[in-house]
Amino acid sequence: MRLESDRLGVAAFRLGYATIFVAMLLPIFIVIATSFSASGNLQFPPEGFSLRWYGAFFADIQWLRAFDNSFIVGIGTTVLATFMGITAAFGLEARKGRLGGLLTPVVILPLLIPPVILGVTLLVYFSALGLQSSYIGIILAHSLWATPLVFFVMQSVFQRFDWQLRDAGMDLGANPIRAFVHVVLPNVKNGIVVSALLAFIISLQEFVMALFLSNFQTQTIPVLAWNSLRQSLTPTVSVVSTFLILISVVGLAVAALAMNIDFVAKRLG
Amino acid sequence: MSVETGSSTLDRLWAPFEAQSGSRRSLLLMSPLILFELLIFVVPFAMLVRISVSEQSQSLPYAEGTFTIASYLEVLQSGLLQGIIVYSFRLGIIATAVAVVLATFYAYATWRADGLLKSALLFSVVLPLLTTLVIKTYAWVPLLAPNGTANNLLLAIGLLSAPVQVVPNTLGVVVGQVYIVFPYAMLAIYSVLSTVEWELVEAARDLGAGRARSFFEVVLPEIMPGITVATIISFAWSVGAYSAPALLGAGSDRPFALEVQEQMLLNFNWPVATALSTIMLVLMFVSIVVIYAVLGRFGGDVSDAA
């Protein structure tokens, strides 16, 4: 009797997580499938197969400009967030201090504030500074979200590093910066690659803040996708989405190769 | 460039730091981020609060240099805005409850799995997490709309006699919002769960505890910190939901984020938009403190989970 109900329990357990697994990936699968649709309706399963919406995408100057904008903003965010995140995590590792203890909660806070409120706040602020609808404004906004991730990834990377190695380098006469570049950096470079990738992906995918902070000239891909969705559902949006998903998959694969997926997953949580 | 010049550049970089003490140096390293948080986070929010206590203006977004709490009274006394605030919190509570329960289950399954299955389960969570909100939201439209995949399928096999309108409707909003916060909730729980030793559960089972009992009495107290973080994240983001209600909701699905956007960009009524934002932030902060205190009583130190 006990065994019977046990087997039933195991079956229900497997069915449970299999259902969630499918539900998690189904929307992404639908987006990719509908991008190859032959008709103009966003329907699943798609009616026929064609690459016409891919052709439409590459012929549309507006989408191509949005792609450029997303890359400018993404690279700017990656550089800024990686620089601030690494230096702060390194400084905190060396010595905590009272200010350091305060820094961690302040850095987390933007992640908990609804993006619409952040967007409104920064719109007001950047308008006063004359930065509204500028690349710099969007980069600064995205860095509010990307920097905490870099900061926490690098904190745990620095914690795993054997600092006696660096001390040995300094005993041999290297100054701290030289010891950092020649001893610490080679050991933590995978962590830096992962955090830079995450920063880039976060910027690439963010849209609510960008919606408030961009205009027709500076809008990023998700913003343009959102605006065109609100007018009509066409497979072109699925084409763009497929590219965005592809970039995330490649970035994730590189990150998983550098650190393994378990590590990346835990840092995101 | 030779190695020698590279090293001397590093020596020159070091020169200004040489005289500083250790704590000054680490402060210097943290200063870019500290400065950034001050200028791009603290100061803008101070400005938000300042505008929320300014007078409204006909021709400008707000009247500079004035002081009044009229916009706060307007928000708190308007039945329409009260309804919007209540809607946001209800969506927050429902989406959070569903997401956290499912996430705990999925995190447990991932923890118990190994090899390829474990990687696949993690991948299924990380990929949506790294996908833009826009995609995560609109992908549900062809699936759940009255003429969408799910309805056609259920009609074809005879489980439904007429299509159900899930999208646009409140149910669609909840589905979309749960889908958005689920990956974050699952990973927050999983990262704590992965530090728990399976031997603990085995010991409980050897002593006669069943599957359910060993989960609720052994595993759950251990992962409470992760569940607390998952709850707080899911709640904060669902109360602030924007894309799911905008795209998957009916006209009556109106959370505060949509109202703020409209007041800000269409009505150019900045005092009301900022007052509503400030009120929501205060209410959310209070709720998070309550969640933290209530869940904290059931176990563990939440700071482990960060």
Side-chain angles (χ1 to χ4, degrees), chain A residues 70-108:
Chain A
S70 274
F71 272 88
I72 293 169
V73 170
I75 287 167
T77 305
T78 307
V79 171
L80 184 63
T82 313
F83 169 71
M84 292 189 303
I86 292 176
T87 49
F90 187 54
L92 205 61
E93 177 65 31
R95 206 171 299 237
K96 210 153 199 142
R98 204 179 308 146
L99 209 59
L102 201 69
L103 189 58
T104 307
V106 171
V107 168
I108 296 178

Side-chain angles (χ1 to χ4, degrees), chain A residues 17 21 24 30 44 84 87 91 99 111 121 124-125 147 175-176 178 205 211 230 238 241 248 252 262 266, chain B residues 11 14 26-27 29 33 36 39 44 51 105-106 126 130 132 135 138 143 149 179 190 194 237 242 246 264:
Chain A
Y17 71 72
F21 180 81
M24 289 316 288
I30 287 180
F44 182 81
M84 292 189 303
T87 49
L99 209 59
L111 290 172
T121 308
V124 169
Y125 183 59
T147 312
N175 73 44
R178 205 194 276 202
Q205 310 282 357
L211 189 64
R230 309 227 63 185
S238 292
S241 305
S248 278
L252 195 61
D262 200 60
K266 280 178 199 161
Chain B
D11 285 337
W14 172 245
S26 81
L27 193 65
L29 280 168
L33 187 54
F36 172 78
L39 287 179
I51 290 175
F105 172 78
Y106 205 56
V126 175
L130 297 176
T132 177
I135 301 177
Y138 96 87
L143 197 61
T149 318
Y179 184 66
Y190 175 72
S194 61
W237 290 356
Y242 172 81
M264 196 73 194

Side-chain angles (χ1 to χ4, degrees), chain A residues 256-269:
Chain A
L257 279 179
M259 293 304 279
N260 90 49
I261 191 165
D262 200 60
F263 176 87
V264 178
K266 280 178 199 161
R267 295 286 110 36
L268 287 169

Side-chain angles (χ1 to χ4, degrees), chain B residues 110-127:
Chain B
T110 309
W111 179 53
R112 294 303 307 135
D114 45 32
L116 202 59
L117 178 61
K118 192 194 197 93
S119 297
L121 293 180
L122 281 175
F123 177 79
S124 75
V125 173
V126 175
L127 182 62

Side-chain angles (χ1 to χ4, degrees), chain B residues 119-303:
Chain B
S119 297
L121 293 180
L122 281 175
F123 177 79
S124 75
V125 173
V126 175
L127 182 62
L129 182 130
L130 297 176
T131 303
T132 177
L133 274 181
V134 179
I135 301 177
K136 284 190 273 201
T137 321
Y138 96 87
W140 292 101
V141 176
L143 197 61
L144 299 177
N147 57 357
T149 318
N151 269 313
N152 288 344
L153 198 70
L154 292 175
L155 286 169
I157 59 173
L159 271 176
L160 283 179
S161 52
V164 178
Q165 175 139 339
V166 182
V167 169
N169 211 339
T170 309
L171 184 57
V173 178
V174 173
V175 170
Q177 191 58 33
V178 168
Y179 184 66
I180 288 167
V181 296
F182 178 89
Y184 299 92
M186 185 278 187
L187 291 175
I189 297 166
Y190 175 72
S191 64
V192 178
L193 197 51
S194 61
T195 64
V196 176
E197 285 173 31
W198 176 245
E199 285 71 27
L200 272 177
V201 183
E202 273 184 337
R205 292 199 181 165
D206 286 346
L207 293 172
R211 238 165 243 285
R213 186 148 173 230
S214 64
F215 175 78
F216 284 106
E217 290 187 14
V218 179
V219 179
L220 200 60
E222 293 278 327
I223 60 168
M224 229 36 219
I227 292 187
T228 306
V229 171
T231 308
I232 290 173
I233 294 175
S234 307
F235 180 78
W237 290 356
S238 303
V239 172
Y242 172 81
S243 58
L247 209 62
L248 304 174
S252 57
D253 290 297
R254 209 172 158 73
F256 92 94
L258 291 178
E259 179 69 22
V260 165
Q261 185 204 20
E262 200 175 298
Q263 293 286 357
M264 196 73 194
L265 301 180
L266 287 176
N267 302 353
F268 290 104
N269 191 340
W270 287 15
V272 164
T274 52
L276 180 56
S277 300
T278 312
I279 288 171
M280 286 306 297
L281 280 180
V282 171
L283 291 176
M284 283 171 69
F285 180 75
V286 172
S287 318
I288 287 173
V289 169
V290 171
I291 293 172
Y292 188 90
V294 170
L295 292 181
R297 289 185 57 175
F298 291 104
D301 180 9
V302 176
S303 57

